[in-house]
Amino acid sequence: STIEFTGTLHTTVVKQVRLKNPSISTLVYNAVLVGRDAGDFSLPKGSTVTIPPTRQGFINVEFTIRFLHPAEAVLILISNKVDGIAGATLTFSLKSEVKNIEP
């Protein structure tokens, strides 16, 4: 999946990634940002998300649009084993686009 960060130059855009846990065990994911522009993205509420059984969890990704060129990175969510159960590793492509420039 691709998560697009669009907005005005020099603004901050926050996207919330929703993760569902259909199993009967708790899942814990650690998030890592990698790629050419990974330093321009951040995880303001931390890099770990715990998802109770049959519930959903959220992780916020923040990006401040500092340049006109598109930024790209990858969000990787790696599961920790809890109760002997590990979830699938998840990846999301992160891309930015400037839609407006204000003086």
Side-chain angles (χ1 to χ4, degrees):
S1 293
T2 299
I3 302 170
E4 294 189 12
F5 294 79
T6 57
T8 302
L9 188 64
H10 302 298
T11 60
T12 299
V13 180
V14 178
K15 294 287 184 161
Q16 192 174 61
V17 180
R18 181 177 60 167
L19 305 167
K20 292 183 181 181
N21 179 3
S23 75
I24 58 170
S25 298
T26 299
L27 292 177
V28 177
Y29 280 98
N30 287 323
V32 180
L33 295 165
V34 297
R36 181 186 75 197
D37 302 308
D40 293 330
F41 293 87
S42 66
L43 305 166
K45 292 190 174 182
S47 61
T48 302
V49 61
T50 301
I51 311 167
T54 67
R55 302 279 181 170
Q56 57 189 10
F58 299 92
I59 190 159
N60 289 349
V61 181
E62 185 176 281
F63 176 73
T64 299
I65 303 171
R66 299 185 308 141
F67 302 107
L68 290 174
H69 71 79
E72 295 181 3
V74 176
L75 171 66
I76 303 173
L77 294 163
I78 303 164
S79 174
N80 287 340
K81 281 191 176 183
V82 177
D83 301 329
I85 303 294
T89 297
L90 305 171
T91 60
F92 298 90
S93 176
L94 309 177
K95 297 185 184 289
S96 75
E97 183 180 357
V98 175
K99 289 287 191 185
N100 192 18
I101 301 172
E102 293 182 3

